[in-house]
Amino acid sequence: MNRILVIGATGQIGVELVPVLREMCGADNVVAAEHAERLPDDIRTAGPFTSVDVTDYGQVEAALREFKVDAVFHLASVLSALAETRREQAYRVNFNGLYNVLEASLANGVKKVIVPSSIAAFGPESPRDSTPNDTVQRPTTIYGISKVLGELMGNYYQAKLGLDVRGVRLPGIVSWKAEPTAGTTDYAVEIFHGAIEQGHYTSYLKPDTYLPMMYMPDAIRALTMVAEADSNRLLHHADFNVNSMSFTPAQLADAIKAKMPDFTIGYDIDPMRQDIADSWPNSLDDSAARAEWDWRPRYNLDTMVDDMLKNLQARLRKVGTGPGGNETRRAAGS
Ligand SMILES: NC(=O)c1ccc[n+]([C@@H]2O[C@H](COP(=O)([O-])OP(=O)(O)OC[C@H]3O[C@@H](n4cnc5c(N)ncnc54)[C@H](O)[C@@H]3O)[C@@H](O)[C@H]2O)c1
């Protein structure tokens, strides 16, 4: 990867992936693309940036040409809960946008495209525990259907057209830099904000909703590792399971309570997001990723909770939204 374009660089993953790629490949070689939302200043000042709407083929092509891009991280997506309420937008971004990125890459000499998939690519008919890498996938959400499309299209472009498309099925991502706002697993980030800012959190998922999750540093490692994996070892391409930890809202609340004894949790269930969560796996079998590119997660529930509390407390103190602060926090789209 010599010259990388990160599309969707303002998102929960993008704002953390861009600095890591710039560290790995040189700041001038990583172009961050924003759309609708402005990139944070630290990303704008540290390297090249542009604006790309993936629903417009011409804009994707123009960015690939202008910056002579040879690798793309395609992170633009409408996430699970939002996609259920905005089908038309989700279809344009997740389906047409994906097609535009793949076709423009093919036509403009891009060698590699990384497209994250998700646990949402599975459905209620998939085996629930330790879901195999290769198994039945009949998702029941627009977002999940778009993720299966991404995997199959990625494998097709790789096998038939020679475009090297790779991807990992990420679980819910927990992070402290940018906030998710439209996924089903967002509670696992919001709960930390609730704990620090109010000492309380009301979960929209039931206390026993068990889901696979991952701390952001591991998600970034999964994306960069799969991107750099030796192609001679790969049997899979755009559809690798990656597993890290699984927990319920009640278990996460207990882990936070162990560090903040006054923290309390309540429940007010959102039927739409509960329904989506109930259709997803409990955990993933990631033996293919382990065998083909040596994937191993580094964080578990306890080490993640420690790191989250430490970093989020420091960040909220800085922006003045912690206890006593009065600024509104950024609401990112996720
Ligand atoms: N965050 C998670 O928990 C999670 C879990 C599994 C998979 N993923 C996948 O990882 C990728 C990144 O997710 P994220 O959490 O950063 O999402 P996010 O919602 O935080 O960010 C999405 C990004 O897409 C951009 N975008 C939306 N419409 C666009 C358009 N028309 N043109 C260009 N850009 C557009 C937004 O500006 C934003 O930068 C997605 O493919 C998502 O499906 C995320």
Side-chain angles (χ1 to χ4, degrees), residues 164-175:
D164 190 351
V165 185
R166 302 179 181 192
V168 287
R169 293 180 182 132
L170 294 172
I173 307 298
V174 180
S175 69

Side-chain angles (χ1 to χ4, degrees), residues 8 10-13 35 52-54 76 117 143 147 170-171 173 333-334:
T10 57
Q12 188 193 5
I13 294 178
H35 168 69
V52 172
D53 179 350
V54 291
S117 186
Y143 176 69
K147 287 299 170 192
L170 294 172
I173 307 298
S334 167

Side-chain angles (χ1 to χ4, degrees), residues 7-39:
I7 301 175
T10 57
Q12 188 193 5
I13 294 178
V15 295
E16 304 224 26
L17 180 65
V18 168
V20 171
L21 289 175
R22 284 179 170 166
E23 192 68 36
M24 285 169 60
C25 308
D28 290 345
N29 295 322
V30 180
V31 183
E34 64 185 16
H35 168 69
E37 195 188 15
R38 195 176 189 275
L39 280 161

Side-chain angles (χ1 to χ4, degrees), residues 192-209:
F192 287 95
H193 286 269
I196 294 168
E197 291 171 319
Q198 281 101 37
H200 179 80
Y201 178 66
T202 304
S203 169
Y204 55 79
L205 293 182
K206 292 180 190 166
D208 59 350
T209 309

Side-chain angles (χ1 to χ4, degrees), residues 31-52:
V31 183
E34 64 185 16
H35 168 69
E37 195 188 15
R38 195 176 189 275
L39 280 161
D41 288 341
D42 55 337
I43 291 188
R44 283 179 162 246
T45 50
F49 64 90
T50 188
S51 168
V52 172

Side-chain angles (χ1 to χ4, degrees), residues 17-159:
L17 180 65
V18 168
V20 171
L21 289 175
R22 284 179 170 166
E23 192 68 36
M24 285 169 60
C25 308
D28 290 345
N29 295 322
V30 180
V31 183
E34 64 185 16
H35 168 69
E37 195 188 15
R38 195 176 189 275
L39 280 161
D41 288 341
D42 55 337
I43 291 188
R44 283 179 162 246
T45 50
F49 64 90
T50 188
S51 168
V52 172
D53 179 350
V54 291
T55 66
D56 180 343
Y57 179 90
Q59 288 193 28
V60 180
E61 179 159 75
L64 297 180
R65 287 185 178 173
E66 180 184 349
F67 295 100
K68 300 186 173 46
V69 170
D70 70 352
V72 175
F73 281 76
H74 173 42
L75 308 180
S77 185
V78 176
L79 267 65
S80 57
L82 190 60
E84 290 303 294
T85 56
R86 296 200 198 155
R87 272 195 312 284
E88 198 264 337
Q89 183 194 349
Y91 196 90
R92 283 192 295 115
V93 175
N94 297 9
F95 293 70
N96 297 338
L98 169 81
Y99 181 70
N100 287 340
V101 169
L102 292 174
E103 280 296 313
S105 296
L106 198 59
N108 290 280
V110 172
K111 303 276 180 295
K112 206 177 267 184
V113 182
I114 312 303
V115 186
S117 186
S118 160
I119 54 168
F122 296 111
E125 294 165 60
S126 309
R128 191 52 65 91
D129 294 312
S130 212
T131 307
N133 206 92
D134 308 310
T135 188
V136 61
Q137 288 178 265
R138 296 174 67 83
T140 50
T141 60
I142 291 284
Y143 176 69
I145 295 166
S146 78
K147 287 299 170 192
V148 176
L149 177 83
E151 294 179 5
L152 295 179
M153 290 285 271
N155 290 341
Y156 173 90
Y157 276 68
Q158 196 277 330

